[in-house]
Amino acid sequence: MRILILGGDGYLGWPTAMSLAAKGHDVCAVDNYLRREMALETNSEALIPSPNLDDRAGIFEAVTGKKIRVVIGDCADYTLMSRVFGEFKPNAVIHYAEQPSAPYSMMGFTEARKTLNNNLNATFNVIWAVMKFAPDCHIIKLGTMGEYGTPNIDIEEGWIEIERNGRSDKFLYPRQAGSLYHTTKVLDTDLLWFYVRTHGVRVTDLMQGPVYGLSTPQADMDERLLPNFHYDDIFGTVVNRFLTQAVAGVPLTVYGKGGQTRGYLNLNDTLQCVELAMTNPAQAGQLRILNQFTELFSVNEIAGRVKAVGDRMGLNVRIESIQNPRKEKEEHYYNAKHSGLLELGLKPNYMTDDVVAGMLERIIKYRGMIDTKKIMPRVRWS
Ligand code: USQ
């Protein structure tokens, strides 16, 4: 298949590009290095410096003999998107090209505006470029479980049946996001749903939970192919942060009471899920929503697991509850359905002790590069 990956330089975009190219697909990765710029601006550089996208594609080709096409450009620019879609005519587009950090979006007006403009414009351009240049193309959009928030009822897989005064209908499940970043994903879903209804585009919206890990079959071939692994308070997700904190010998930063529960998944499962969505496309005129995670954990449970394994490895891990910089429920009901991807064939890689130990061992190799000044939260919600 011809697959366009938007945000191809990112934590998920680059491993996805490698994984699909390794399987023989014709892959084109587009990125404008926005995240690298924002990371530099906020002193939040990744643990392991990674070569630019052109260089990474060159290294990947030298190692595997497979090509990844690269376009450096902005997906929020419709002229560029028209050219890319017009020339490449993808069968599927995997849209990761969004500002992915909740804390970044809460820093102030400039960062909020940048998040809103980038994320909404990129999604809007994808929809129009598909309609004009590749009408049969399947849009695979990375959404987030955070769109649903933490309601006091079960979270369904995208849709909910509502009965009211003796009549019933099916609606998008109510969304109530906890950051401006997460809110842009809600708005993306609404945009997609509008064009699905009116113009018959085919869309899979993946409601993904926080991802962890840095090892994938292709990344393991050469360390220059590793994904951008962040452990800072702005771009690092909680599991990757706790693993790095354990290695650095600083206390694990549990925000508040630590009862915040989310659905987590291994980076390798993101690769599986996206491929499963791609090989089992949504129908024209369908907005298919899949909840993309494999296990539920509270923050305290993650900290406990990292500590148990880290201690066995002699790291002497400490856990500390610090004031929560975010506005979020710290103790709440959470039960989210996630059968869609399992039915498509997902074989989960669970967070076993061996997996945690493997990640810790990997990070230990880069211990000297950890900057502990990047660990404590610098952004508050209020
Ligand atoms: N947390 C801590 N300590 C930390 C960091 C985070 O207790 O040092 C807590 C947060 O307060 C939150 C939970 O851990 O309750 C998850 O935080 P996170 O930073 O791992 O995840 P989040 O900000 O929600 O965003 C990440 C990705 C985002 C993706 C989202 C999926 O950055 O792109 O959409 O995970 S989800 O969380 O399901 O919305």
Side-chain angles (χ1 to χ4, degrees):
M1 285 173 76
R2 284 189 309 285
I3 303 153
L4 193 56
I5 300 182
L6 308 178
D9 186 54
Y11 175 56
L12 307 176
W14 174 243
T16 306
M18 289 194 294
S19 162
L20 295 176
K23 294 195 170 153
H25 296 288
D26 185 357
V27 173
C28 175
V30 184
D31 207 293
N32 66 343
Y33 299 133
L34 178 69
R35 187 204 35 83
R36 288 187 192 238
E37 269 170 38
M38 292 182 309
L40 261 178
E41 252 171 46
T42 57
N43 191 25
S44 309
E45 296 89 344
L47 177 62
I48 309 152
S50 43
N52 69 34
L53 195 48
D54 278 310
D55 291 347
R56 292 211 267 193
I59 297 162
F60 178 72
E61 190 176 347
V63 174
T64 63
K66 308 274 187 187
K67 267 195 190 323
I68 295 175
R69 304 176 196 224
V70 170
V71 175
I72 302 302
D74 185 357
C75 299
D77 168 8
Y78 188 62
T79 310
L80 174 98
M81 292 291 271
S82 303
R83 181 168 64 76
V84 171
F85 274 84
E87 286 172 11
F88 189 59
K89 301 242 181 270
N91 305 114
V93 53
I94 303 171
H95 173 20
Y96 292 123
E98 303 218 340
Q99 189 298 95
S101 159
Y104 183 87
S105 75
M106 301 299 286
M107 285 175 79
F109 177 82
T110 309
E111 295 80 4
R113 165 71 81 197
K114 206 191 254 185
T115 304
L116 188 72
N117 283 347
N118 179 77
N119 294 5
L120 269 292
N121 283 330
T123 300
F124 186 70
N125 288 348
V126 170
I127 296 168
W128 273 95
V130 163
M131 292 192 305
K132 288 214 143 181
F133 302 103
D136 207 37
C137 175
H138 177 205
I139 300 175
I140 299 169
K141 164 70 177 46
L142 196 80
T144 170
M145 283 300 290
E147 292 186 34
Y148 302 122
T150 50
N152 197 31
I153 59 171
D154 292 346
I155 295 174
E156 305 295 329
E157 203 141 6
W159 303 91
I160 188 166
E161 287 272 340
I162 296 184
E163 239 187 74
R164 183 86 182 148
N165 299 335
R167 304 180 68 81
S168 68
D169 206 342
K170 192 170 135 189
F171 298 91
L172 279 177
Y173 189 93
R175 263 93 170 142
Q176 40 187 359
S179 77
L180 193 266
Y181 151 73
H182 288 95
T183 301
T184 62
K185 297 272 183 176
V186 175
L187 299 172
D188 285 338
T189 298
D190 258 323
L191 267 183
L192 291 162
W193 177 214
F194 173 72
Y195 284 103
V196 163
R197 295 199 307 274
T198 57
H199 289 64
V201 289
R202 60 174 83 229
V203 178
T204 299
D205 201 353
L206 298 169
M207 300 294 122
Q208 185 174 245
V211 180
Y212 59 85
L214 69 167
S215 164
T216 76
Q218 291 76 36
D220 291 346
M221 292 176 185
D222 186 313
E223 66 170 26
R224 292 169 299 171
L225 299 177
L226 285 170
N228 324 296
F229 182 85
H230 281 273
Y231 62 97
D232 57 272
D233 60 315
I234 296 181
F235 293 100
T237 48
V238 64
V239 180
N240 290 349
R241 273 169 63 67
F242 283 2
L243 293 164
T244 312
Q245 291 165 1
V247 170
V250 300
L252 310 192
T253 53
V254 170
Y255 293 168
K257 293 185 180 143
Q260 302 92 310
T261 301
R262 304 284 183 269
Y264 290 84
L265 76 164
N266 189 304
L267 176 57
N268 286 293
D269 289 347
T270 296
L271 304 184
Q272 272 195 74
C273 290
V274 168
E275 189 181 355
L276 286 167
M278 196 185 87
T279 48
N280 300 276
Q283 303 298 309
Q286 183 191 8
L287 170 61
R288 175 177 58 173
I289 300 178
L290 299 167
N291 291 348
Q292 184 162 312
F293 67 91
T294 58
E295 297 171 278
L296 294 180
F297 295 118
S298 69
V299 170
N300 285 330
E301 283 168 332
I302 295 168
R305 274 164 180 256
V306 172
K307 178 173 168 49
V309 178
D311 283 350
R312 281 206 291 280
M313 293 168 67
L315 291 172
N316 186 22
V317 180
R318 287 165 295 146
I319 300 175
E320 204 173 274
S321 162
I322 60 171
Q323 196 195 1
N324 195 340
R326 306 185 182 200
K327 279 199 179 137
E328 62 183 358
K329 290 181 200 155
E330 294 175 4
E331 287 171 318
H332 57 90
Y333 179 78
Y334 200 80
N335 183 30
K337 311 256 169 81
H338 61 122
S339 56
L341 283 157
L342 293 169
E343 281 158 20
L344 290 179
L346 171 66
K347 303 271 178 294
N349 289 283
Y350 293 116
M351 199 197 291
T352 59
D353 286 359
D354 284 349
V355 167
V356 174
M359 294 189 289
L360 286 169
E361 272 160 21
R362 200 74 192 251
I363 297 166
I364 286 170
K365 283 184 26 193
Y366 303 97
R367 184 186 253 150
M369 291 158 82
I370 302 172
D371 175 359
T372 51
K373 288 195 292 300
K374 294 190 172 122
I375 285 174
M376 290 306 275
R378 293 168 288 177
V379 182
R380 304 206 168 267
W381 262 221
S382 53

